[in-house]
Amino acid sequence: MILPLRIALLWHQHQPYYRKGNHFILPWVRLHAAKDYWDLPALAEQFPSLKQTINIVPSLLVQLDEYIRYGITDSIQELTLINACDLNRFQKTEILRLFFLCNYTTMIAPYARYNELYSYAQHNQQEAVESFTSQDWLDIQTWYNLTWIGELFKSNNSELQSLFEKTHFSEDDKVTVLAYHKHIISLIIPLMQKAVKENRLELSVTPFYHPIIPLLIDSRSALENMPDILLPVLAPQSVKDAQVQIERALAYCKDRLSIVPNGMWPSEGSISNETLSVFEQYNVKWIATDEKILFQSPGHHHQLDKYFPRKIGNLTCFFRDHALSDAIGFEYSSWEAQKASDDFIKRLKQIRLDLIQHYGEQSLQYAVVPIILDGENCWEYYQNNGLPFLRSLFHALISQDELHTITMSEGIQGSDFLEPLSSIKAGSWIHGNFSIWIGHSQDNAAWEMIAKARKILFNCGLDQKSPEWQKAYNHLLISEGSDWFWWYGDDHISANQSEFDELFRWNIEQIYLLIGHHIPDEVRQPIADKIEFADAELSSKEIIHTLFEKEYSGSAIHSVSEILSSIHICFHAASQLYTMNVHATDCIANNAAIEIYILTDQHKTLTAIWKDNYLQFDGFIPKLCGKGMHHIYFSLPDTLHIFQIRVQSINNTTSLQYPRSGNYVTLTL
């Protein structure tokens, strides 16, 4: 009898709480619900022997209910519902800003009419505001919502298929698309509950508003991996808030879903020894984090040890296979679906052989390969929303004798193969530390704002059982969510950065209003600085084309192997020059090279190479260029009017091409 390798798939479904007053200021709950949150468990239903785990964040499910039960709407819905003939200039400008925030290659380019409108608006935004007809605006309103409907759902619906084939839409079509969004939302929770009852799915949970629990308990936990980091002067330091975030998450699952979760994926896989003690108080059986946390913790750890769940006190801890999880999340989207699936299975089989060789075949009874990643953000980078890849992968996983899928709880039995861990080093799945959420002046300003508001709330004299105090405390818990800090600092760029800042400060403001306290001036001032070049000559740039932007929306997708964060072609009014601006992520290594190839209409190739913070040009000498630790810019030749461009980034482990298709993209200046 062949002993199979056990595979534990965990999909993390997460959105922060976007509600401000009586509407959601961002649409990502609704849009990802329509595209991803139903499609994934519905596809798994076609493979009855496949087992997996979905980790849910209560702040996401609460919003699903608020869309359906209470009719709360988001900003995109509200702009969509305005009759196209009645749009004013501001609303039209907002539509052009917001209704193309999706992956161009997979969600705009396949639809000729949508692509036509996008292409014109990208190059002639002001003219589009003036010249687009009511039909043009109606088509944009409809297409943006239509393109967010999941591939699997639309494949089973003839009415939706006919809408995708239309050139022009009616006001009734627009309303129909939005109605389908709400219908899909209403199906999501019942579908997951059904899968749980059929023992095909386990539901785990994250603390209610997705806080970084180690930092909430003690900000000094960041020093364990970053001893030189600058901490905020004030921080919440609140075990109580951590307990409440966990208590409320577990209670929500019991009351709303009729389940008691066995396990938790801590927000961003963030753990510390103090955090584990708090989880233990609530009878949590298992948690999961990244393999890097294991390897940087005390003791000697073989590379294959990550495949064995470990006891830490009364908890069982799983360690995410970083490479395999990121392969689905960030790499396979540019592969042909079958080849990607074959590669994944090949790598799993090699792990099985390695385990047998190192520990013996009986070790397979205890080993688990945890594949843990976002269940929503990566799919828009795949053709057909990842459906061909997932179909191929799911079929392969249940067809191979050497492989067997399990839920996370079913993997607990392997936790006694290796000796328990006495302690772990605090960190998250990203870089093994907390640099995304603390240390930058903007992050620290937000933590200090929370700490001040918390101190005033707990000392305001109001009865803590009063409705006003409880509402204020809930706003405090919302403000502790990780997502606000994700967008502060210079780690990530988003078209919605100002909305995240606005929503964070609004929640802080509500604390003061509800307890009748004066609102400090700093709460009314934006925390996030504008992202600009330091050079005065480049301060008034206008982005005329985006070749690549890693964070284009409220999405929290993050690849630790991604080298570049954005590539823009800009026009600078002061110098009347066009420049190419390239921003890198923190992942750029000393030996990384950025190779830029420009093919002119005279079939000449111009190249620029950025390596070791040194810029080298071949075929032209720019009039203007500059560089910093994480960005370069250089002017394009005056004679360049129509050209093609491709960028390749290379470090010691990864080679990525931009655009992701690997082809040149044609630009006109």
Side-chain angles (χ1 to χ4, degrees), residues 309-322:
R310 303 291 284 276
K311 282 288 187 182
I312 311 177
N314 293 319
L315 282 169
T316 295
C317 186
F318 294 89
F319 300 98
R320 171 183 182 268
D321 186 300
H322 200 103

Side-chain angles (χ1 to χ4, degrees), residues 126-140:
Q126 293 306 314
E127 188 175 331
V129 171
E130 302 293 344
S131 63
F132 271 175
T133 66
S134 295
Q135 185 63 58
D136 293 332
W137 294 112
L138 177 55
D139 291 345
I140 295 173

Side-chain angles (χ1 to χ4, degrees), residues 15 18 24 26-37 60 63-64 67 72-78 80 99 144-146 148 177-178 181-182 184-185 188:
Q15 295 292 336
Y18 293 119
F24 301 118
L26 289 171
W28 305 118
V29 167
R30 176 176 60 88
L31 296 183
H32 279 294
K35 189 173 76 68
D36 304 302
Y37 299 144
L60 163 62
Q63 291 174 92
L64 294 180
Y67 272 108
I72 306 297
T73 56
D74 60 62
S75 54
I76 297 295
Q77 267 178 306
E78 291 156 9
T80 301
F99 279 54
Y144 186 59
N145 289 280
L146 187 60
W148 280 93
V177 173
L178 290 179
H181 279 211
K182 292 189 72 171
I184 295 170
I185 290 172
I188 293 168

Side-chain angles (χ1 to χ4, degrees), residues 236-279:
Q237 312 291 94
S238 176
V239 174
K240 173 183 169 59
D241 289 2
Q243 291 171 327
V244 171
Q245 296 269 12
I246 294 169
E247 283 175 6
R248 292 191 180 184
L250 294 170
Y252 179 85
C253 289
K254 183 178 180 180
D255 295 342
R256 178 65 181 89
L257 304 176
S258 302
I259 65 163
V260 178
N262 280 329
M264 282 192 156
W265 166 251
S267 313
E268 308 294 355
S270 297
I271 61 173
S272 64
N273 288 315
E274 293 78 11
T275 299
L276 300 182
S277 298
V278 176
F279 282 128

Side-chain angles (χ1 to χ4, degrees), residues 352-626:
R352 181 179 179 274
L353 293 175
D354 292 343
L355 287 168
I356 292 172
Q357 183 177 4
H358 190 76
Y359 300 103
E361 188 172 9
Q362 293 306 307
S363 67
L364 296 176
Q365 297 180 73
Y366 305 92
V368 179
V369 181
I371 311 298
I372 302 174
L373 67 150
D374 275 358
E376 70 262 278
N377 289 317
C378 65
W379 304 121
E380 64 194 87
Y381 295 89
Y382 281 76
Q383 292 298 321
N384 302 112
N385 206 38
L387 202 58
F389 166 73
L390 285 172
R391 273 210 173 101
S392 179
L393 178 64
F394 288 173
H395 179 266
L397 286 172
I398 64 173
S399 303
Q400 306 286 328
D401 291 338
E402 303 100 314
L403 305 174
H404 177 62
T405 58
I406 61 171
T407 64
M408 299 293 286
S409 287
E410 290 173 337
I412 291 177
Q413 70 183 61
S415 59
D416 57 355
F417 184 77
L418 298 179
E419 63 183 26
L421 296 174
S422 58
S423 68
I424 54 92
K425 202 167 188 177
S428 75
W429 79 270
I430 303 175
H431 311 311
N433 59 38
F434 302 125
S435 61
I436 299 289
W437 305 278
I438 198 167
H440 190 281
S441 59
Q442 293 177 9
D443 293 322
N444 290 351
W447 281 115
E448 290 171 10
M449 207 174 279
I450 290 172
K452 290 176 185 177
R454 189 182 193 283
K455 183 177 180 180
I456 290 171
L457 174 62
F458 275 82
N459 291 282
C460 69
L462 277 180
D463 181 354
Q464 293 188 8
K465 294 182 180 179
S466 69
E468 292 79 9
W469 195 94
Q470 285 295 321
K471 288 178 183 177
Y473 186 51
N474 197 58
H475 283 288
L476 178 73
L477 297 175
I478 294 170
S479 72
E480 292 169 350
S482 69
D483 295 85
W484 324 121
F485 301 91
W486 183 275
W487 300 113
Y488 287 135
D490 51 11
D491 305 287
H492 301 104
I493 300 171
S494 168
N496 297 130
Q497 223 150 346
S498 61
E499 285 93 340
F500 276 88
D501 177 51
E502 173 192 342
L503 194 50
F504 169 77
R505 290 182 296 103
W506 180 81
N507 278 292
I508 297 292
E509 185 179 280
Q510 295 308 298
I511 298 170
Y512 290 105
L513 287 173
L514 284 161
I515 63 175
H517 193 282
H518 169 71
I519 300 170
D521 290 341
E522 64 263 25
V523 177
R524 299 187 185 277
Q525 300 298 319
I527 293 174
D529 300 322
K530 291 183 179 179
I531 300 171
E532 295 179 349
F533 286 105
D535 310 65
E537 191 169 7
L538 295 181
S539 61
S540 60
K541 67 180 184 295
E542 175 192 358
I543 296 174
I544 63 168
H545 183 83
T546 298
L547 181 68
F548 172 73
E549 192 163 75
K550 181 164 71 73
E551 304 293 349
Y552 63 84
S553 70
S555 160
I557 194 168
H558 183 106
S559 170
V560 295
S561 61
E562 191 79 74
I563 297 172
L564 299 186
S565 61
S566 66
I567 306 170
H568 295 136
I569 305 298
C570 301
F571 177 70
H572 304 272
S575 58
Q576 292 292 295
L577 293 174
Y578 290 94
T579 64
M580 183 167 180
N581 299 31
V582 180
H583 273 77
T585 68
D586 288 338
C587 304
I588 190 167
N590 290 332
N591 60 346
I594 311 300
E595 301 174 353
I596 301 163
Y597 303 94
I598 302 170
L599 188 63
T600 72
D601 52 2
Q602 288 84 34
H603 303 290
K604 290 175 59 180
T605 301
L606 314 177
T607 62
I609 298 175
W610 178 24
K611 183 175 172 61
D612 296 330
N613 208 28
Y614 177 73
L615 267 170
Q616 178 180 345
F617 298 92
D618 184 18
F620 72 110
I621 299 174
K623 292 181 179 179
L624 179 71
C625 68

Side-chain angles (χ1 to χ4, degrees), residues 14 21 25 59 87 91 98 129 133 138 200 215 225-226 242 246 271 323 334 341-342 370 383 482 501 568 572 636 660:
H14 158 228
I25 71 169
S59 61
L87 291 166
Q91 291 161 345
L98 298 171
V129 171
T133 66
L138 177 55
R200 296 183 290 104
L215 297 180
N225 268 304
M226 301 181 295
I246 294 169
I271 61 173
S334 62
S341 174
D342 291 346
Q383 292 298 321
S482 69
D501 177 51
H568 295 136
H572 304 272
L636 298 169
R660 285 303 178 74

